[in-house]
Amino acid sequence: MEVECIRFKETGYFSQLICDYLDQKKELSSFYNRFPLLENFDGQIKEKASNYPKANRSVLVNSLKAQYKNVKTSQVTQNNIDSLRDENTFTVVTGHQLNLFTGPLYFLYKIVSTINLAKKLNREYPENHFVPVYWMATEDHDFDEINYFNLHGKKVLWNKKASGAVGRLSTDGLEDVFEIFASELGNLGLTYNLKELFKKAYLEHETLTEATRYLANALFGEHGLVIVDGDDKGLKQLLVPYAKKDILEHTPFHKISETIDALGKVSSEYNIQVNPREINYFYLKDGLRERIVEKNGKYGVVGTQIQFSREELIQELNTYPERFSPNVVARPLYQEVILPNLCYIGGGGELAYWLELKSYFDEVGVTFPMLMLRNSALLISEKQSEKVEKMGLKIPHLFKKQHSLINKKIRDISNIDIDFSPQKKLLEEQFQHMYDLAEQTDKSFLGAVKAQEVKQKKGLDALEKRLLKAQKRKLKDHVVRLTDLQNELFPNQSLQERQLNFSEIYLEMGEDLIPLLLDKLDPFSKDFTIIRHT
């Protein structure tokens, strides 16, 4: 197995904000607590230890034991759950939606990054214990985002009318999905293992939460992964004082809005990932998850007749905390309140909205976690690697946009030099003389000179494009082979990890897949990883 790396910023697939964060741009330092370097965890441990109530540990462990009651777990996972009672035990966390059969490949990368980080911390800080945690987004209600996965370029879809929290959805109807999945897999090689995994997860469990827990535990339980379901009354009780600050005082709305303005002043290129609402909670019951809004001193649930006075809302929150569901802005705080957590591992989009949250955490007195970008990888087979070499390319070239890659290849193999850069440079030198002349004679001619320069440069661009187009026709076979290869590795001209389901790679690698990822992915790497596998 060979491993190659490319800087995240050189891939072209990561935002300016995330690239600046990885470079530890000093203007961003106020938006996070500590940068995720191994030596920085010492300070994070001390801060979280002084800030996390001991009583929360008992609540957490009791809830986890109840959630795992009917789950066959490894001894290491059981030990990890028990250890959370101890004041020297801490967590590192990733979170993800309940995508059908894990959804995109990066689901694995998130959890692998988390497990590997816990391992490294256990080696570096042996006086403490570190537990990898997967937070299931059981309360999300965006069913259309999670009801499918891609296999062999086709969408395997769970076609179902759904409402409310996805974790509470019945698995009824997934028998039909299994038939489609099984038919697409066929009966050769490693297909039996995948079919059995799908059947046991989705056809032998009643809810999507139970199915996802089984699946994640089957894939990673032997590595001590602890899976948390936040849709839990005991855990929600710890959230009550913070929910009151949100709903009644709009604390996150004010603090996060200020942070968004501050981020915009650092760079206009930073895209805001999420905007806070005045109230960042939903009202949650079976089949219902709708926003809570305030109007004329009354608190209503959007799309329903449910309404509370201020006093009634407080009573409802105290009595039924499980009916209050945090949105994307409030959920991170919930996680950090209930877990003795040090670090959140997420994708670029996730870290972008976490960077909006620190002032809110500071305001309510909760330690802000370290933020680590999850590992990203491109898995390339030996056969694909050979194709790249035969084409005279290097794998990093394939990260280019397709038209740029094709143009590069055409220029490389053409016996005609289709690059008018020297002509453009000569043109600029000639026009510089004309600018100087206009300055000395009549400055009103400067605009005319500029217009003529632009016109002639456009003419050269047009000629260059026409010649490239002609060469593409002549070298059509090269273009087709190159396009086919890039489409294999970057389906839909996107990163492989965002399109492929793990089952497609499993069919090639089998049980070696997860051990390979655990061995080759370093959570502290600041690079995109390319793994050649047999």
Side-chain angles (χ1 to χ4, degrees):
M1 303 288 174
E2 291 182 39
V3 173
E4 186 178 345
C5 293
I6 176 173
R7 294 295 301 273
F8 277 107
K9 65 169 60 175
E10 292 170 5
T11 68
Y13 285 96
F14 293 82
S15 71
Q16 187 63 49
L17 174 58
I18 293 305
C19 291
D20 286 350
Y21 174 68
L22 292 176
D23 287 342
Q24 300 180 64
K25 184 175 179 178
K26 65 179 181 180
E27 290 85 352
L28 288 175
S29 61
S30 63
F31 298 96
Y32 59 91
N33 196 2
R34 294 175 179 85
F35 193 77
L37 302 172
L38 195 55
E39 60 270 24
N40 286 349
F41 276 87
D42 182 52
Q44 191 75 15
I45 290 166
K46 289 172 182 172
E47 183 179 348
K48 188 67 180 184
S50 66
N51 188 258
Y52 181 72
K54 187 178 179 181
N56 288 17
R57 291 184 179 276
S58 294
V59 175
L60 174 61
V61 173
N62 291 341
S63 287
L64 284 172
K65 284 186 174 293
Q67 291 179 18
Y68 270 86
K69 187 176 180 182
N70 298 312
V71 181
K72 185 179 179 181
T73 56
S74 67
Q75 189 61 54
V76 65
T77 293
Q78 290 178 37
N79 292 344
N80 276 343
I81 292 172
D82 290 334
S83 75
L84 287 165
R85 290 192 192 276
D86 301 331
E87 291 184 54
N88 68 337
T89 295
F90 300 90
T91 63
V92 290
V93 180
T94 194
H96 198 67
Q97 295 171 295
L98 307 192
N99 295 72
L100 189 61
F101 212 47
T102 75
L105 186 57
Y106 69 76
F107 172 82
L108 268 62
Y109 300 162
K110 276 185 163 184
I111 295 180
V112 165
S113 299
T114 307
I115 291 170
N116 278 345
L117 176 57
K119 286 179 179 176
K120 283 181 178 286
L121 292 174
N122 277 314
R123 286 196 295 269
E124 183 70 15
Y125 299 97
E127 66 278 14
N128 295 295
H129 183 61
F130 305 91
V131 175
V133 170
Y134 161 44
W135 180 290
M136 294 190 293
T138 54
E139 296 178 56
D140 280 6
H141 60 254
D142 296 318
F143 182 67
D144 290 343
E145 291 184 4
I146 60 108
N147 68 339
Y148 70 94
F149 61 94
N150 298 318
L151 180 62
H152 300 150
K154 301 173 185 175
K155 184 180 279 191
V156 180
L157 178 69
W158 184 12
N159 206 350
K160 176 189 180 86
K161 286 188 177 179
S163 61
V166 295
R168 299 183 181 188
L169 291 176
S170 165
T171 52
D172 290 347
L174 281 168
E175 299 88 351
D176 296 336
V177 177
F178 173 72
E179 293 303 322
I180 295 167
F181 177 50
S183 174
E184 180 60 34
L185 284 177
N187 295 301
L188 298 175
L190 295 158
T191 58
Y192 175 80
N193 294 359
L194 289 171
K195 291 174 191 173
E196 283 299 296
L197 185 59
F198 190 101
K199 279 167 63 177
K200 288 180 178 177
Y202 295 100
L203 307 189
E204 296 179 14
H205 293 88
E206 294 184 359
T207 67
L208 192 56
T209 290
E210 293 170 3
T212 305
R213 184 189 289 113
Y214 174 88
L215 181 60
N217 187 61
L219 292 171
F220 295 104
E222 66 181 272
H223 302 286
L225 183 70
V226 173
I227 303 160
V228 175
D229 175 11
D231 189 4
D232 180 291
K233 183 172 182 176
L235 298 177
K236 286 281 181 73
Q237 285 175 333
L238 300 177
L239 186 61
V240 169
Y242 304 96
K244 286 179 183 176
K245 275 190 169 293
D246 187 310
I247 298 169
L248 304 177
E249 300 174 29
H250 312 316
T251 303
F253 175 73
H254 297 304
K255 299 307 293 184
I256 296 170
S257 296
E258 290 171 7
T259 300
I260 288 172
D261 289 343
L263 272 170
K265 290 174 183 174
V266 175
S267 174
S268 59
E269 293 185 29
Y270 295 166
N271 295 321
I272 299 308
Q273 200 69 20
V274 295
N275 285 291
R277 296 184 181 275
E278 289 194 341
I279 295 175
N280 295 286
Y281 279 81
F282 295 90
Y283 192 70
L284 179 65
K285 282 187 173 180
D286 285 335
L288 173 72
R289 188 180 187 245
E290 292 291 347
R291 286 193 298 118
I292 299 169
V293 294
E294 180 189 5
K295 189 174 181 182
N296 300 325
K298 292 284 187 179
Y299 295 86
V301 178
V302 171
T304 76
Q305 299 299 312
I306 300 170
Q307 198 172 65
F308 305 98
S309 67
R310 180 186 174 95
E311 293 72 25
E312 288 168 340
L313 183 86
I314 293 170
Q315 179 64 32
E316 183 81 358
L317 183 54
N318 287 331
T319 309
Y320 303 106
E322 70 276 14
R323 294 180 182 175
F324 292 79
S325 176
N327 72 359
V328 67
V329 162
R331 190 211 63 76
L333 182 80
Y334 178 31
Q335 169 190 298
E336 298 304 311
V337 165
I338 68 172
L339 294 173
N341 191 47
L342 304 176
C343 182
Y344 183 76
I345 299 99
E350 290 175 284
L351 295 201
Y353 73 71
W354 273 90
L355 288 167
E356 300 174 24
L357 304 179
K358 185 175 182 294
S359 64
Y360 168 39
F361 275 67
D362 292 344
E363 179 71 16
V364 295
V366 175
T367 297
F368 195 66
M370 298 164 84
L371 303 177
M372 177 174 279
L373 184 65
R374 66 166 173 83
N375 287 118
S376 282
L378 173 67
L379 300 176
I380 180 167
S381 69
E382 212 170 74
K383 186 177 179 182
Q384 290 166 330
S385 184
E386 287 172 2
K387 286 182 183 178
V388 174
E389 288 176 18
K390 283 180 181 176
M391 290 182 188
L393 294 170
K394 295 187 181 297
I395 294 170
H397 291 146
L398 296 171
F399 284 82
K400 289 178 176 287
K401 298 300 179 189
Q402 196 159 91
H403 69 276
S404 298
L405 177 63
I406 290 169
N407 288 348
K408 174 193 173 354
K409 183 61 181 172
I410 294 301
R411 285 190 172 101
D412 287 348
I413 63 177
S414 174
N415 54 5
I416 303 171
D417 185 12
I418 311 175
D419 181 2
F420 286 0
S421 297
Q423 286 83 356
K424 289 174 189 174
K425 187 176 180 183
L426 183 61
L427 195 66
E428 288 170 0
E429 290 171 357
Q430 291 172 335
F431 271 91
Q432 186 58 52
H433 176 68
M434 296 176 72
Y435 284 127
D436 294 342
L437 197 61
E439 283 278 356
Q440 295 169 25
T441 54
D442 188 341
K443 289 185 180 180
S444 66
F445 280 102
L446 285 170
V449 174
K450 180 66 178 174
Q452 192 61 229
E453 181 186 14
V454 169
K455 182 179 178 181
Q456 292 199 31
K457 279 185 176 178
K458 282 183 178 178
L460 283 174
D461 286 338
L463 285 172
E464 190 176 34
K465 286 175 183 175
R466 285 184 64 183
L467 281 170
L468 274 170
K469 196 172 181 180
Q471 282 299 93
K472 285 178 190 176
R473 286 195 297 270
K474 284 180 67 176
L475 303 168
K476 184 179 177 182
D477 180 55
H478 291 279
V479 171
V480 168
R481 285 190 289 117
L482 179 58
T483 303
D484 286 347
L485 178 60
Q486 192 186 43
N487 288 343
E488 276 182 38
L489 295 170
F490 293 80
N492 296 323
Q493 296 187 45
S494 178
L495 288 177
Q496 179 193 69
E497 63 185 35
R498 298 177 188 171
Q499 299 292 320
L500 262 59
N501 180 259
F502 86 96
S503 58
E504 208 157 324
I505 305 294
Y506 182 91
L507 290 173
E508 296 179 32
M509 300 185 62
E511 300 293 336
D512 293 336
L513 172 58
I514 289 174
L516 172 70
L517 296 177
L518 287 164
D519 181 53
K520 300 299 181 185
L521 296 180
D522 176 6
F524 288 100
S525 172
K526 290 185 183 180
D527 295 328
F528 190 105
T529 308
I530 300 160
I531 304 174
R532 294 179 179 87
H533 63 89
T534 52

